[in-house]
Amino acid sequence: MDLRGTYCAGGTAQGRIYFWEVASGILYNSWDAHYRQVTVLRFTSDGSALISGSEDSGVSVWSVSRSIQPANVVVTEYMTMAHII
């Protein structure tokens, strides 16, 4: 949940992220964010972005303003993948 208590995000073992508005319970969006289990979700202190991390070694930064748009419009702001061989 973001610091204002406005939005909530959840991640799945399949790498999908769900994004809700808390007051109404409306599911604003969901998207395939990672290839493996989402292990961490954190909103930035100003609530403008959601940071996700997963077992696929990926870390992504998602725009909250873009996440509340209709489904399939979510855009990754930044993404990094680090694999150890």
Side-chain angles (χ1 to χ4, degrees):
M1 188 174 310
D2 71 338
L3 293 176
R4 295 183 194 124
T6 305
Y7 301 112
C8 180
T12 70
Q14 293 76 30
R16 192 162 186 82
I17 293 178
Y18 292 87
F19 191 87
W20 293 272
E21 180 185 49
V22 174
S24 67
I26 293 173
L27 176 63
Y28 271 117
N29 216 325
S30 66
W31 63 96
D32 293 322
H34 295 278
Y35 297 105
R36 297 190 62 195
Q37 180 173 349
V38 176
T39 56
V40 64
L41 288 169
R42 295 286 185 268
F43 286 93
T44 56
S45 60
D46 64 0
S48 66
L50 174 67
I51 302 166
S52 64
S54 83
E55 288 182 352
D56 64 12
S57 300
V59 175
S60 297
V61 181
W62 309 91
S63 168
V64 167
S65 64
R66 291 180 182 173
S67 298
I68 60 175
Q69 294 177 5
N72 303 321
V73 185
V74 175
V75 176
T76 305
E77 294 293 319
Y78 304 98
M79 185 172 189
T80 182
M81 301 282 280
H83 296 282
I84 300 171
I85 298 177

